[in-house]
Amino acid sequence: MAGIGRATDRDYLEMFERYRENFRNATPINTRETQAERITRVRYLEAHPEEWFKYYFPNYCTAAPAHFHIAATKRLLSNAEWFEVRAWSRELAKSARSMMELCYLALRNQIKNVLLVSNSHDNAVLLLAPIRACFECNQRIEQDYGKQHNIGEWREDKFVLKCGCSFRALGWGESPRGTRNNEKRPDFILLDDFDTDEECRNEDIMAKKIAWMEQALIPTRSISTPTRILVNGNIIHDNCMVKYLGESSFCDKFDIVNIRDKDGKSSWPEKNSEEDIDRVLSIVSYESGQKEYFNNPMDGGDIFRELKEGKIPSLKSCACIIYADPATSNKDVSQGSYKAVGCILYRDFTYYIAKVKVDTMSSMHFVEALYDVYAWAQYHGAAPETQVWIENNSLQAPFFEQVLQPLIFQEGRKRGVMLPVCTDARDKKDKYTRIEGTLEPINRAGQLVFNEKESEDPDMKRLKGQFKAFKRTQKRMDGPDMVEGGVYILKTRAAVEASHGIISIKRSNTKKI
């Protein structure tokens, strides 16, 4: 084996032997099968790729494929000239699926020269290892396609199958020139795990990676021979190669799949249950969860780099309001906007974020959050008539009138209290500019304080995560938008109350929760 001598060789050899043993144990064969039966079976499997994967890779196909797996494979196998970027969340089998697709195409003589490219040579070798182990020890492939281990052309970073297809591991920056299998130029280029956090934060390095890919890697292909280019990864940074390539004009398909789909359900329920997803997300930071599982990188914010935590004053001594930003989605968990409710205080030129609810939630849960935060404020000394402001611009007005208002009265009757609700109907301009203009100066002056007693609360963590990730390209800024609304109302309270109607019941009928 080439390359022996590195400090990690023992670990690599142990890992590689586990791959070999896994394939050997997972692929028993039927030695009594006749030649005619074998040919019939193989023809059927080749005509049904998902069945082919399941038969030859039972150790990887431990759950039924999701619809996005099937669709992605169909696109790749059906198009000899194809460029696809799969921005799939962790735990959605990016590398495993592409390994099975490569083996299928190679053994059927549909590709002849594969380049597997990663962020380093060593990482590319690691990603190539299970493919090499498969061709060494998969008994079912050997029975149906013949022994593929080709002595003399079999190294950890390059090997040639007896069927004629070659595989080579390549780290970015290495010279791919002259990468031929006899006269065949690369006709399948797989970029897997190509981005690293450190490199994405360095614009100079990213520019070099783009130049290397466009000027060195891609030109290794033949102009006259169809070539498949597949990129595996997820969007870990606004300045990552996955995003750059996916949004490029030459990409045929930018397939973004998160751990949960647009309806807030597991994208692959056959493997990842809702309980399992909740468990994992509960033990990683909000920022990490968004980056690794929802293609929503939340690092790199350039406005609110430092957030101040501190003790909040007595609510009796402050101006106090509840402010809420209702996204019009009625999903408990979704890809879209978060709903946000907060108790915002003001005293001595300082604004305090005392209690928040920031999450994706249904309309009913949003209304419950309104009452919960209002009850928290009353318990801590706020007056019963503390106003509850709800953002309600012209686009949101029908949603408020037809959905939220009936639910508010319904919940009020159940709890025996009606919230003194006000609607914030101002015409809000660009969200980024408004939040930055209102909150950045007071945050920089130390006049925006987050309740230190709530520092471990999941909702407060989500709010602070959105603040720290705040930038013009950030997808989610609904928490900061809610805080901006509360601060604006407190700043201009008299004028706002004079110009907006209040939905409430008489003070004499208000009951303390």
Side-chain angles (χ1 to χ4, degrees):
M1 180 182 295
I4 296 298
R6 296 190 308 270
T8 57
D9 282 342
R10 177 175 293 181
D11 292 337
Y12 174 84
L13 290 171
E14 290 177 355
M15 176 203 67
F16 186 67
E17 186 56 39
R18 287 196 298 271
Y19 282 138
R20 285 164 47 89
E21 191 67 19
N22 194 0
F23 275 113
R24 190 179 294 112
N25 293 336
T27 56
I29 57 176
N30 179 8
T31 57
R32 297 182 179 181
E33 186 179 44
T34 66
Q35 182 73 352
E37 290 172 336
R38 186 190 68 79
I39 292 173
T40 300
R41 174 176 54 76
V42 172
R43 285 177 178 172
Y44 171 81
L45 292 174
E46 290 183 344
H48 300 84
E50 295 301 328
E51 294 298 319
W52 195 95
F53 297 160
K54 186 176 179 180
Y55 179 75
Y56 294 105
F57 295 87
N59 46 332
Y60 284 86
C61 296
T62 56
H67 64 88
F68 67 88
H69 289 129
I70 297 171
T73 291
K74 184 176 181 180
R75 289 191 299 269
L76 188 72
L77 301 187
S78 302
N79 295 282
E81 177 66 37
W82 191 246
F83 194 122
E84 177 157 338
V85 177
R86 295 176 180 173
W88 294 359
S89 160
R90 286 183 181 271
E91 291 296 310
L92 295 185
K94 296 185 290 292
S95 297
R97 174 130 305 232
S98 57
M99 173 184 68
M100 295 186 292
E101 292 164 340
L102 281 170
C103 293
Y104 177 88
L105 291 168
L107 291 170
R108 300 191 69 221
N109 294 310
Q110 293 182 3
I111 55 175
K112 288 296 184 181
N113 192 337
V114 178
L115 288 184
L116 195 161
V117 186
S118 193
N119 60 68
S120 69
H121 183 87
D122 285 350
N123 203 52
V125 168
L126 292 175
L127 291 168
L128 193 59
I131 300 175
R132 189 163 68 96
C134 170
F135 287 123
E136 285 189 23
C137 296
N138 190 312
Q139 298 181 84
R140 292 177 179 180
I141 285 180
E142 183 173 338
Q143 181 188 39
D144 295 341
Y145 294 95
K147 189 174 182 63
Q148 297 300 318
H149 188 176
N150 200 352
I151 297 175
E153 295 186 275
W154 205 262
R155 306 195 308 266
E156 63 177 2
D157 60 351
K158 184 178 180 181
F159 56 88
V160 182
L161 306 180
K162 285 193 173 179
C163 69
C165 185
S166 68
F167 288 77
R168 179 186 174 189
L170 198 69
W172 91 265
E174 294 184 83
S175 175
R177 298 186 184 278
T179 303
R180 292 172 180 262
N181 178 18
N182 293 323
E183 78 285 359
K184 301 293 185 181
R185 286 179 174 271
D187 54 5
F188 198 120
I189 301 174
L190 171 62
L191 288 84
D192 200 341
D193 198 18
F194 197 61
D195 287 309
T196 68
D197 291 301
E198 184 177 357
E199 290 177 346
C200 288
R201 289 190 287 267
N202 189 315
E203 293 185 3
D204 291 337
I205 290 180
M206 294 307 294
K208 291 178 181 178
K209 291 182 79 168
I210 291 171
W212 176 82
M213 189 203 71
E214 295 179 347
Q215 298 171 21
L217 180 63
I218 302 302
T220 62
R221 61 160 294 176
S222 168
I223 291 177
S224 59
T225 302
T227 302
R228 295 172 173 90
I229 300 176
L230 177 61
V231 182
N232 285 339
N234 55 323
I235 303 173
I236 64 171
H237 195 281
D238 278 340
N239 189 37
C240 69
M241 288 293 290
V242 166
K243 185 176 180 181
Y244 171 79
L245 295 173
E247 294 177 348
S248 66
S249 60
F250 47 80
C251 180
D252 296 302
K253 177 66 176 179
F254 189 16
D255 196 29
I256 301 176
V257 185
N258 298 330
I259 197 71
R260 283 182 164 131
D261 62 21
K262 61 183 177 60
D263 296 318
K265 303 299 182 182
S266 173
S267 298
W268 192 6
E270 297 83 358
K271 176 181 178 291
N272 304 316
S273 70
E274 295 297 328
E275 294 75 18
D276 289 340
I277 295 173
D278 286 339
R279 168 63 179 164
V280 171
L281 293 180
S282 72
I283 58 178
V284 299
S285 70
Y286 173 69
E287 294 92 333
S288 296
Q290 287 296 303
K291 180 173 73 171
E292 300 297 341
Y293 297 101
F294 292 94
N295 284 292
N296 182 32
M298 299 197 71
D299 53 359
D302 51 8
I303 303 299
F304 300 99
R305 295 183 179 180
E306 299 293 335
L307 300 177
K308 181 178 180 180
E309 289 188 342
K311 184 178 180 180
I312 65 171
S314 166
L315 271 65
K316 293 179 181 179
S317 66
C318 300
C320 173
I321 66 167
I322 312 297
Y323 192 92
D325 182 5
T328 54
S329 168
N330 190 31
K331 304 292 184 183
D332 277 310
V333 184
S334 77
Q335 301 290 101
S337 300
Y338 275 33
K339 293 179 172 69
V341 181
C343 177
I344 314 296
L345 315 177
Y346 174 74
R347 194 181 82 172
D348 298 334
F349 304 105
T350 300
Y351 298 87
Y352 299 89
I353 304 170
K355 180 69 176 178
V356 298
K357 295 287 185 181
V358 179
D359 204 350
T360 51
M361 57 184 100
S362 67
S363 297
M364 189 65 248
H365 286 174
F366 170 74
V367 170
E368 291 172 350
L370 284 175
Y371 276 90
D372 290 343
V373 174
Y374 177 77
W376 181 93
Q378 279 200 312
Y379 179 81
H380 288 84
E385 63 272 21
T386 296
Q387 292 175 337
V388 178
W389 286 85
I390 300 179
E391 182 180 312
N392 185 38
N393 57 41
S394 59
L395 294 176
Q396 295 167 314
F399 179 74
F400 175 80
E401 294 170 0
Q402 298 168 20
V403 179
L404 289 183
Q405 189 169 323
L407 290 175
I408 289 171
F409 282 110
Q410 175 185 319
E411 186 69 11
R413 285 191 293 270
K414 184 173 75 173
R415 299 201 186 200
V417 61
M418 288 297 173
L419 297 180
V421 174
C422 306
T423 57
D424 180 8
R426 62 185 165 127
D427 183 18
K428 295 186 173 183
K429 303 299 181 183
D430 176 70
K431 184 182 291 188
Y432 173 86
T433 302
R434 178 168 41 80
I435 294 171
E436 180 190 25
T438 302
L439 300 182
E440 192 280 332
I442 61 174
N443 182 69
R444 179 164 29 93
Q447 296 170 336
L448 187 65
V449 180
F450 294 77
N451 188 354
E452 63 185 13
K453 288 188 177 180
E454 294 285 313
S455 62
E456 295 303 313
D457 177 71
D459 293 277
M460 187 66 82
K461 286 183 176 181
R462 281 189 281 270
L463 175 63
K464 289 187 289 187
Q466 291 186 9
F467 264 103
K468 291 178 180 178
F470 181 78
K471 52 189 169 184
R472 190 173 292 279
T473 58
Q474 183 58 37
K475 297 177 184 177
R476 289 176 172 163
M477 51 181 79
D478 306 283
D481 192 30
M482 173 271 293
V483 174
E484 187 277 336
V487 168
Y488 176 87
I489 294 297
L490 287 169
K491 278 185 173 181
T492 59
R493 186 167 188 168
V496 171
E497 288 185 354
S499 60
H500 293 83
I502 299 177
I503 305 171
S504 65
I505 62 174
K506 292 182 180 180
R507 171 78 179 272
S508 58
N509 292 330
T510 302
K511 298 180 182 179
K512 192 171 183 178
I513 299 177

